[in-house]
Amino acid sequence: MGRTLSEKVWDEHVVRSMPGEPDLLFIDLHLIHEVTSPQAFDGLRIAGRTVRRPDLTLATEDHNVPTVDWDKPIADPVSRTQVETLRRNAEEFGVRLHPLGDIEQGIVHVVGPQLGLTQPGMTIVCGDSHTSTHGAFGAIAFGIGTSEVEHVLATQTLMQAKPKTMSVTINGSLPPGVTAKDMVLTLIAHTGTGGGQGYIVEYRGQAIEELSMEARMTVCNMSIEWGAKAGLIAPDQTTFDYIEGRPEAPKGADWDAAVAHWTSLVTDEDAEFDAEIVLDAGTMTPFVTWGTNPGQGVPLGASVPHPEEFEDIQDKVAAEKALQYMALEAGTPMREIKVDTVFVGSCTNGRIEDLRLAAEIIQGHKVDKDTRLLVVPGSVRVRLQAEQEGLDVIFKEAGAEWRGAGCSMCLGMNPDTLAPGERSASTSNRNFEGRQGKGGRTHLVSVPVAAATAIRGTLSSPADLESAVAAG
Amino acid sequence: MEKFTTHTGVGVPLRRSNVDTDQIIPAVYLKRVTRDGFEDGLFSAWRNEPSFVLNNEAYAGGSVLVAGPDFGTGSSREHAVWALQNYGFKAVISPRFADIFRGNSGKSGLVAAQVDEKVVQRLWDHLEENPGATVTVDLESRTVRAGEGVEAIEDSFDIDDYTRWRLLEGLDDIGITLGNEPDIASYELTRPSWKPATIHAG
Ligand code: SF4
């Protein structure tokens, strides 16, 4: 019988396989950041161990770095200690680090692909759950905890039980104005947050093939939000074109050998998945969340649901709690919800295409007077590219804040946070209670919805801007 | 890692589903570079609410958490496991755990016992009617037990064989893997030359 894409990649990385034990998998690339690594390096030191393959390891500073005054010492002493600890560990163990101020610094999941380090058929791990982003290239990529970070540092391998396989086929084409973010939010609302539990998911079908590389990353990024172990997409010409010429991409004869191998990384016709989901992109619309997990979403044109609408008792209770936390009344049209802060950024939507799209919508408009718009590029390279294209000027003229690279308000570990009770429309991936700051209320949205919301002050799509112009 | 065979301690009914790791410990608490001291951050937002279960004296010394489905979703932060352990929890019982959380628990020695949703309902009712009652998590026989007589609750739980064995023996994964170092070395010899590297010789 044929094999699926993920089975092929998995099999290529098995170092040792014994009945009754998890497989020992070789790891091609280990990404590291300041938050989940200090205790792992400490563990190595205590046991007198070294980093087995510093040449397959890359560190960057992203989660807690400031996005203003990044040329000055970090003001918060605890954050500073954590960043300094990473710098010391990188130096002591010989790991390549892109620190704050370096031109390659940025969110770890933006930096890997941008350098060309993320390639098809690899195994990639990082002490961060959104490592699934790299699956967009046809790699098996997943988040690990700190003990596993230490395990990979010491052995360049991980013990992993082989997950089941699932295919998510998205047929048709996305209508204009509907993005990869809407696609994945629709999927998660369909499956619930636990729907992918125990599976490696392959996204396929016409709508997936039509996505750009950056949009594919948006989809794979959110695999973890419906519980999947990893999500991946078969590499194709779009993938190869994106990688070619990047600093760490193979060159010359190596490039030809690599592409020849990558081309074989597709699911065989006669392969079988353990589970399958089929959706139609043609019916998708801008999609936003109303609750406190990414599965609690509805189309922008809909209203806040009533807890009674949920059949499952757990879902009902969860909806009641979410509405209370979000301070929302069931039945309120989503479009009437007023937003205090709009955040454009994160490893979900902080790449150059996202910023171009946001700028295109915002150009010629002003940010609503009661709303704050924060635009945070995913990496220094993205920031410089945007500045070269004049996008920063468009944002600033509209009244937005243009920031330095990092995770920023995605998780509120640095000074960019929501105040208690404040409401945001955010292009990031998690709307958990307090995720963007204690008491903060988050609506997950696409880039176009974020941009239009910043202008109108209430959850909106770009179409609402046009109708306002037509009416007024 | 300490060996775990069986544990009996005060059960804490956490009547919530989808308890994500941002709830278990918010990001602002993750700045420490050690593995201890995270108990302050455990469920920090909820601990401000007087009605929160851990603010009830009867449950404050709890060591067995009984939670709803999809416990530990979200971020990969192992700090969530450490925070639970630092507080004093030895085991968490839930109908469904997020993968990364389950993995992290196994590595750190916290038992993540997966039971049927009905068992959780019964444990919740029992622990709420008898605040301070204990729950036993027996890893050897893979059972959870609480209550006595006709009220007694006893059921099996799921945990994968390998993790169970490691917890029972108190074994460190890295030591086990390094025992197979020759396998890693011979695998490395087979990797194609075009695979990317972060550091280049010369
Ligand atoms: S941007 Fe957000 S989700 Fe992405 S790595 Fe940073 S904190 Fe995690």
Side-chain angles (χ1 to χ4, degrees):
Chain A
M1 200 181 71
R3 290 178 301 160
T4 66
L5 163 61
S6 68
E7 288 167 332
K8 289 182 184 180
V9 179
W10 185 280
D11 292 349
E12 275 177 20
H13 291 85
V14 175
V15 169
R16 177 188 153 91
S17 183
M18 299 297 275
E21 283 180 27
D23 287 348
L24 190 65
L25 282 190
F26 193 79
I27 301 302
D28 287 320
L29 178 65
H30 185 195
L31 301 165
I32 283 179
H33 62 86
E34 73 276 20
V35 180
T36 54
S37 67
Q39 296 85 354
F41 281 110
D42 244 7
L44 289 186
R45 240 187 316 265
I46 291 166
R49 291 172 176 146
T50 55
V51 175
R52 183 180 179 90
R53 298 295 301 265
D55 62 325
L56 303 183
T57 312
L58 182 80
T60 175
E61 297 167 3
D62 56 5
H63 278 65
N64 95 38
V65 296
T67 57
V68 287
D69 296 334
W70 59 83
D71 48 345
K72 305 205 178 77
I74 299 174
D76 171 16
V78 200
S79 295
R80 196 168 63 227
T81 305
Q82 201 167 54
V83 167
E84 281 168 358
T85 303
L86 178 64
R87 291 177 190 174
R88 259 203 320 278
N89 286 331
E91 168 144 25
E92 181 182 338
F93 290 93
V95 170
R96 170 170 156 191
L97 167 70
H98 294 299
L100 199 59
D102 185 277
I103 192 162
E104 300 296 353
Q105 179 262 335
I107 306 173
V108 62
H109 311 310
V110 176
V111 169
Q114 184 174 278
L115 283 169
L117 280 170
T118 300
Q119 298 173 14
M122 292 173 71
T123 45
I124 302 175
V125 297
C126 173
D128 186 280
S129 60
H130 293 100
T131 309
S132 58
T133 312
H134 306 262
F137 291 80
I140 291 184
F142 54 90
I144 56 178
T146 298
S147 293
E148 291 173 311
V149 170
E150 186 179 336
H151 192 277
V152 179
L153 287 172
T155 69
Q156 202 56 36
T157 63
L158 258 188
M159 291 196 202
Q160 289 289 317
K162 200 170 180 171
K164 293 177 285 181
T165 60
M166 188 194 291
S167 77
V168 171
T169 306
I170 307 190
N171 292 320
S173 295
L174 282 174
V178 183
T179 66
K181 181 66 162 290
D182 303 305
M183 184 192 273
V184 70
L185 285 173
T186 305
L187 169 68
I188 301 169
H190 175 82
T191 62
T193 51
Q197 187 80 58
Y199 291 98
I200 293 190
V201 176
E202 180 179 341
Y203 301 100
R204 54 211 310 242
Q206 185 187 340
I208 296 289
E209 287 162 21
E210 286 173 359
L211 295 178
S212 71
M213 218 46 232
E214 298 199 349
R216 292 179 188 184
M217 286 189 244
T218 302
V219 173
C220 290
N221 175 274
M222 294 195 68
S223 303
I224 186 71
E225 305 310 334
W226 57 293
K229 173 84 186 171
L232 74 178
I233 295 172
D236 60 9
Q237 199 56 44
T238 304
T239 322
F240 308 151
D241 291 346
Y242 181 94
I243 298 171
E244 193 169 12
R246 292 193 179 263
E248 304 294 353
K251 307 208 165 43
D254 276 351
W255 173 258
D256 298 334
V259 172
H261 180 63
W262 296 344
T263 310
S264 73
L265 297 176
V266 289
T267 293
D268 296 328
E269 296 243 344
D270 56 343
E272 279 178 23
F273 291 92
D274 296 312
E276 301 195 24
I277 292 177
V278 181
L279 293 176
D280 176 13
T283 60
M284 293 183 186
T285 63
F287 210 84
V288 295
T289 63
W290 51 268
T292 53
N293 73 53
Q296 292 175 320
V298 288
L300 175 64
S303 299
V304 177
H306 204 284
E308 293 308 315
E309 290 167 27
F310 297 92
E311 276 168 34
D312 184 90
I313 174 79
Q314 293 283 359
D315 290 347
K316 206 176 295 214
V317 174
E320 270 165 20
K321 289 203 159 115
L323 290 187
Q324 195 183 10
Y325 181 85
M326 294 294 288
L328 289 174
E329 212 47 72
T332 310
M334 293 305 293
R335 275 197 166 83
E336 286 178 13
I337 297 174
K338 245 191 89 17
V339 164
D340 306 299
T341 293
V342 175
F343 172 63
V344 174
S346 87
C347 60
T348 316
N349 283 125
R351 285 173 288 266
I352 190 69
E353 281 180 14
D354 299 307
L355 301 193
R356 283 183 190 140
L357 187 54
E360 190 187 314
I361 295 161
I362 283 171
Q363 185 152 35
H365 291 278
K366 287 272 183 244
V367 172
D368 177 76
K369 63 176 181 10
D370 296 324
T371 307
R372 159 167 83 138
L373 170 59
L374 206 64
V375 186
V376 185
S379 70
V380 176
R381 291 273 184 203
V382 171
R383 176 170 66 81
L384 296 176
Q385 175 73 30
E387 288 176 359
Q388 200 184 343
E389 295 176 18
L391 308 183
D392 60 321
V393 179
I394 296 174
F395 292 126
K396 285 188 271 191
E397 279 180 354
E401 294 173 42
W402 174 247
R403 295 296 189 84
C407 295
S408 179
M409 199 182 270
C410 174
L411 90 165
M413 245 189 114
N414 77 350
D416 307 336
T417 53
L418 294 178
E422 230 188 301
R423 187 180 298 280
S424 80
S426 178
T427 65
S428 57
N429 45 41
R430 285 193 177 135
N431 51 345
F432 298 154
E433 289 181 20
R435 166 86 175 175
Q436 298 189 291
K438 198 169 178 179
R441 301 173 174 135
T442 303
H443 296 274
L444 299 178
V445 300
S446 69
V447 169
V449 170
T453 301
I455 297 162
R456 286 171 49 92
T458 49
L459 289 178
S460 306
S461 72
D464 300 323
L465 300 174
E466 286 156 30
S467 56
V469 171
Chain B
M1 204 163 71
E2 259 177 64
K3 291 185 183 184
F4 187 112
T5 46
T6 181
H7 173 78
T8 301
V10 170
V12 178
L14 184 64
R15 245 185 220 273
R16 288 187 183 249
S17 59
N18 270 299
V19 176
D20 58 71
T21 50
D22 279 78
Q23 296 336 303
I24 301 174
I25 184 161
V28 288
Y29 290 94
L30 307 186
K31 296 178 183 180
R32 265 187 223 114
V33 293
T34 56
R35 271 181 191 252
D36 44 32
F38 289 101
E39 64 274 16
D40 309 358
L42 181 69
F43 300 127
S44 79
W46 295 337
R47 270 156 86 186
N48 290 331
E49 300 166 17
S51 61
F52 182 61
V53 61
L54 287 183
N55 291 330
N56 179 332
E57 269 306 306
Y59 302 113
S63 60
V64 179
L65 188 67
V66 184
D70 295 317
F71 188 85
T73 56
S75 150
S76 66
R77 57 187 74 156
E78 196 160 316
H79 312 67
V81 173
W82 303 335
L84 287 160
Q85 290 182 313
N86 293 165
Y87 183 91
F89 285 105
K90 304 284 184 219
V92 182
I93 297 172
S94 163
R96 198 161 58 216
F97 291 96
D99 278 332
I100 302 180
F101 180 87
R102 196 201 349 248
N104 287 342
S105 299
K107 309 285 171 195
S108 289
L110 179 76
V111 172
Q114 184 164 325
V115 299
D116 195 87
E117 196 155 345
K118 288 192 202 82
V119 177
V120 164
Q121 291 286 356
R122 288 181 62 204
L123 285 171
W124 280 344
D125 293 344
H126 173 72
L127 294 172
E128 283 169 0
E129 281 158 27
N130 307 283
T134 61
V135 176
T136 297
V137 177
D138 185 337
L139 188 60
E140 253 169 346
S141 64
R142 278 187 228 233
T143 47
V144 293
R145 291 188 294 274
E148 282 171 2
V150 284
E151 298 281 283
I153 302 166
E154 173 158 0
D155 214 292
S156 61
F157 68 82
D158 280 341
I159 187 164
D160 72 88
D161 293 338
Y162 187 75
T163 302
R164 174 174 167 270
W165 168 71
R166 277 187 38 256
L167 290 169
L168 286 171
E169 301 292 328
L171 286 175
D172 157 27
D173 258 356
I174 298 179
I176 300 174
T177 300
L178 287 176
N180 298 314
E181 198 278 338
D183 291 340
I184 305 174
S186 57
Y187 179 89
E188 283 173 327
L189 292 175
T190 67
R191 292 182 78 233
S193 62
W194 46 261
K195 287 259 185 173
T198 57
I199 298 171
H200 306 278

